[in-house]
Amino acid sequence: MQKSVTFKNNILNMAGNLYLPEGFDENKKYPAIVSVHPGGGVKEQTAGLYAQKLSDNGFVALAFDASCQGESEGEPRLLEDPNARVEDVRCAVDYLTTLPYVDQEKIGTLGICAGGGYVVAAAPTERRIKAVATVSAVDIGAMFRGEGSIETQLQTLEAVAKQRTAEVNGAEAHFLTYAPDTLEEIDENTPVLMREAYDYYRTPRAQHPNSPNRFLFKSVDKLMAFSATTQISDYLTQPMLLIAGTEADTRGYSEQFYELSNGPKELFWVKGATHIAMYDIPEYVDQSVNKLTEFFRENI
């Protein structure tokens, strides 16, 4: 059973879909999972798919739109602010603790792609999270810093600064895309991740009107300042499960999170899966959900 819900993030109204187990009894107490979508995603896509499947296995599960995105409130629209995204996770946990049928001592988080980095960043200091899991995790800060020189990174930050000045003085907002917007933008040099991102986000496979494949250019300074790994070694003592495809070009982020953690941890490989394949391809999602179910049942 699914129902639309709203919850507060300070003054913002956040929009979510709450998934309830079959045979739901409001007089019982259930373990609960917060499912966090990728950068550029919305609750109706992979985060909602995983939430629905976890509810089928007995969990209350919440998928929601990030602040400034989807149906959630927040200005400016289509801002990708990592610190705000981490706070979104905390506020989703807040909301679950208000539900009389949720066991407050049995709350876990699941993050997909950038959402994986956000839940890993939230968990060390959000002690109400009893277990944290990721699928195709990405540290979006590290991704945006990239492998280029510091000089190149500083040039990017200079461009962001100029754009902020222009916008506050009346210029139109400048947007970037998460994935190629059209098939014509893809050629033999396009990375596999970007090819698959186009197929997922820009075709009927998973295209959604609230996921327009745009984010504000002035998000980039915030993205480049973010690191999902800062507190892992010291504070992330909760059990952690990292799921990634063996063919994912982002698998290094899961490996890094695993190496940095000193708490209970497991790195689970899905053979043959790429990064985006883990979003919705049934044979890979089913393996992931089975592992997630086992993990959360044992650890929350």
Short mmCIF file of all heavy atoms in Angstrom, two decimals, residues 6-14 67 73-74 83-92 94-95:
data_model
loop_
_atom_site.label_atom_id
_atom_site.label_comp_id
_atom_site.label_asym_id
_atom_site.label_seq_id
_atom_site.Cartn_x
_atom_site.Cartn_y
_atom_site.Cartn_z
N THR A 6 3.32 14.33 3.47
CA THR A 6 4.20 15.49 3.56
C THR A 6 4.79 15.52 4.97
O THR A 6 4.18 15.03 5.92
CB THR A 6 3.46 16.81 3.29
OG1 THR A 6 2.40 16.96 4.24
CG2 THR A 6 2.89 16.84 1.88
N PHE A 7 5.98 16.08 5.05
CA PHE A 7 6.62 16.25 6.36
C PHE A 7 7.47 17.50 6.31
O PHE A 7 7.76 18.04 5.25
CB PHE A 7 7.44 15.02 6.75
CG PHE A 7 8.55 14.65 5.80
CD1 PHE A 7 9.85 15.11 6.01
CD2 PHE A 7 8.31 13.82 4.70
CE1 PHE A 7 10.88 14.76 5.15
CE2 PHE A 7 9.33 13.47 3.84
CZ PHE A 7 10.63 13.94 4.06
N LYS A 8 7.88 17.96 7.48
CA LYS A 8 8.56 19.25 7.59
C LYS A 8 10.08 19.10 7.54
O LYS A 8 10.66 18.21 8.15
CB LYS A 8 8.17 19.95 8.89
CG LYS A 8 6.78 20.58 8.88
CD LYS A 8 6.74 21.77 7.93
CE LYS A 8 5.40 22.51 8.02
NZ LYS A 8 5.37 23.65 7.08
N ASN A 9 10.69 20.01 6.82
CA ASN A 9 12.13 20.25 6.90
C ASN A 9 12.25 21.73 7.25
O ASN A 9 12.25 22.59 6.38
CB ASN A 9 12.82 19.94 5.57
CG ASN A 9 14.32 20.16 5.62
OD1 ASN A 9 14.83 20.86 6.49
ND2 ASN A 9 15.03 19.59 4.66
N ASN A 10 12.28 22.01 8.54
CA ASN A 10 12.18 23.39 9.03
C ASN A 10 10.91 24.01 8.48
O ASN A 10 9.83 23.53 8.77
CB ASN A 10 13.45 24.16 8.69
CG ASN A 10 14.67 23.59 9.41
OD1 ASN A 10 14.65 23.45 10.62
ND2 ASN A 10 15.70 23.22 8.66
N ILE A 11 10.99 25.05 7.63
CA ILE A 11 9.76 25.68 7.13
C ILE A 11 9.26 25.05 5.84
O ILE A 11 8.18 25.38 5.36
CB ILE A 11 9.96 27.21 6.92
CG1 ILE A 11 10.99 27.47 5.81
CG2 ILE A 11 10.34 27.89 8.22
CD1 ILE A 11 11.07 28.93 5.40
N LEU A 12 10.05 24.13 5.27
CA LEU A 12 9.67 23.53 4.00
C LEU A 12 8.74 22.35 4.19
O LEU A 12 8.90 21.57 5.14
CB LEU A 12 10.91 23.06 3.24
CG LEU A 12 11.97 24.10 2.90
CD1 LEU A 12 13.11 23.43 2.13
CD2 LEU A 12 11.38 25.25 2.09
N ASN A 13 7.81 22.18 3.27
CA ASN A 13 7.00 20.99 3.20
C ASN A 13 7.64 20.02 2.21
O ASN A 13 7.82 20.34 1.03
CB ASN A 13 5.57 21.31 2.75
CG ASN A 13 4.77 22.02 3.82
OD1 ASN A 13 4.76 21.59 4.98
ND2 ASN A 13 4.11 23.11 3.46
N MET A 14 7.99 18.86 2.71
CA MET A 14 8.63 17.84 1.89
C MET A 14 7.57 16.84 1.42
O MET A 14 6.69 16.45 2.19
CB MET A 14 9.70 17.11 2.70
CG MET A 14 10.74 18.04 3.30
SD MET A 14 11.84 18.74 2.06
CE MET A 14 12.76 17.27 1.60
N SER A 67 14.69 18.54 -1.05
CA SER A 67 14.29 19.94 -0.99
C SER A 67 14.75 20.66 -2.26
O SER A 67 15.81 20.36 -2.81
CB SER A 67 14.88 20.62 0.26
OG SER A 67 16.26 20.40 0.36
N GLU A 73 9.04 21.49 -1.42
CA GLU A 73 9.26 22.93 -1.48
C GLU A 73 10.74 23.26 -1.41
O GLU A 73 11.58 22.41 -1.13
CB GLU A 73 8.51 23.62 -0.33
CG GLU A 73 7.01 23.53 -0.44
CD GLU A 73 6.28 24.24 0.70
OE1 GLU A 73 6.94 24.57 1.71
OE2 GLU A 73 5.06 24.45 0.57
N GLY A 74 11.05 24.53 -1.64
CA GLY A 74 12.41 25.02 -1.54
C GLY A 74 12.80 25.84 -2.74
O GLY A 74 12.46 25.50 -3.87
N ASN A 83 24.57 19.67 1.61
CA ASN A 83 24.26 19.84 3.02
C ASN A 83 22.76 19.82 3.26
O ASN A 83 22.27 19.27 4.26
CB ASN A 83 24.88 21.13 3.54
CG ASN A 83 26.39 21.06 3.59
OD1 ASN A 83 26.95 20.03 3.95
ND2 ASN A 83 27.06 22.13 3.22
N ALA A 84 22.01 20.42 2.35
CA ALA A 84 20.55 20.37 2.45
C ALA A 84 20.05 18.95 2.26
O ALA A 84 19.10 18.51 2.94
CB ALA A 84 19.92 21.30 1.41
N ARG A 85 20.69 18.21 1.35
CA ARG A 85 20.27 16.82 1.10
C ARG A 85 20.51 15.95 2.34
O ARG A 85 19.71 15.05 2.63
CB ARG A 85 21.02 16.27 -0.10
CG ARG A 85 20.60 16.89 -1.42
CD ARG A 85 19.40 16.16 -2.00
NE ARG A 85 19.81 15.33 -3.10
CZ ARG A 85 19.38 14.11 -3.33
NH1 ARG A 85 18.53 13.54 -2.50
NH2 ARG A 85 19.78 13.43 -4.37
N VAL A 86 21.61 16.18 3.03
CA VAL A 86 21.86 15.43 4.26
C VAL A 86 20.82 15.80 5.32
O VAL A 86 20.30 14.93 6.03
CB VAL A 86 23.29 15.69 4.77
CG1 VAL A 86 23.49 15.10 6.16
CG2 VAL A 86 24.31 15.09 3.80
N GLU A 87 20.47 17.07 5.40
CA GLU A 87 19.43 17.49 6.35
C GLU A 87 18.08 16.89 5.96
O GLU A 87 17.27 16.54 6.84
CB GLU A 87 19.34 19.01 6.40
CG GLU A 87 18.31 19.55 7.40
CD GLU A 87 18.62 19.20 8.85
OE1 GLU A 87 19.75 18.80 9.17
OE2 GLU A 87 17.70 19.33 9.69
N ASP A 88 17.82 16.75 4.67
CA ASP A 88 16.59 16.07 4.23
C ASP A 88 16.50 14.68 4.85
O ASP A 88 15.42 14.24 5.27
CB ASP A 88 16.58 15.91 2.70
CG ASP A 88 16.41 17.22 1.94
OD1 ASP A 88 16.00 18.23 2.54
OD2 ASP A 88 16.70 17.22 0.72
N VAL A 89 17.62 13.96 4.87
CA VAL A 89 17.63 12.60 5.43
C VAL A 89 17.25 12.66 6.91
O VAL A 89 16.42 11.87 7.39
CB VAL A 89 19.01 11.95 5.25
CG1 VAL A 89 19.04 10.58 5.93
CG2 VAL A 89 19.37 11.82 3.77
N ARG A 90 17.84 13.59 7.63
CA ARG A 90 17.52 13.73 9.06
C ARG A 90 16.03 14.02 9.27
O ARG A 90 15.40 13.47 10.18
CB ARG A 90 18.34 14.87 9.66
CG ARG A 90 19.84 14.65 9.66
CD ARG A 90 20.53 15.88 10.25
NE ARG A 90 21.98 15.76 10.18
CZ ARG A 90 22.73 15.11 11.06
NH1 ARG A 90 22.16 14.49 12.07
NH2 ARG A 90 24.04 15.06 10.92
N CYS A 91 15.49 14.89 8.43
CA CYS A 91 14.07 15.27 8.59
C CYS A 91 13.15 14.12 8.20
O CYS A 91 12.06 14.00 8.77
CB CYS A 91 13.77 16.52 7.76
SG CYS A 91 14.61 17.99 8.40
N ALA A 92 13.58 13.29 7.26
CA ALA A 92 12.80 12.09 6.94
C ALA A 92 12.78 11.14 8.14
O ALA A 92 11.74 10.53 8.45
CB ALA A 92 13.39 11.39 5.72
N ASP A 94 13.09 12.20 11.25
CA ASP A 94 12.17 12.90 12.16
C ASP A 94 10.74 12.45 11.91
O ASP A 94 9.99 12.10 12.84
CB ASP A 94 12.22 14.42 11.93
CG ASP A 94 13.46 15.09 12.46
OD1 ASP A 94 14.16 14.49 13.30
OD2 ASP A 94 13.72 16.24 12.05
N TYR A 95 10.35 12.50 10.64
CA TYR A 95 8.97 12.16 10.28
C TYR A 95 8.62 10.73 10.68
O TYR A 95 7.56 10.48 11.28
CB TYR A 95 8.76 12.36 8.78
CG TYR A 95 7.45 11.83 8.28
CD1 TYR A 95 6.24 12.41 8.66
CD2 TYR A 95 7.41 10.71 7.44
CE1 TYR A 95 5.02 11.90 8.22
CE2 TYR A 95 6.20 10.20 7.00
CZ TYR A 95 5.01 10.80 7.39
OH TYR A 95 3.82 10.28 6.96
#
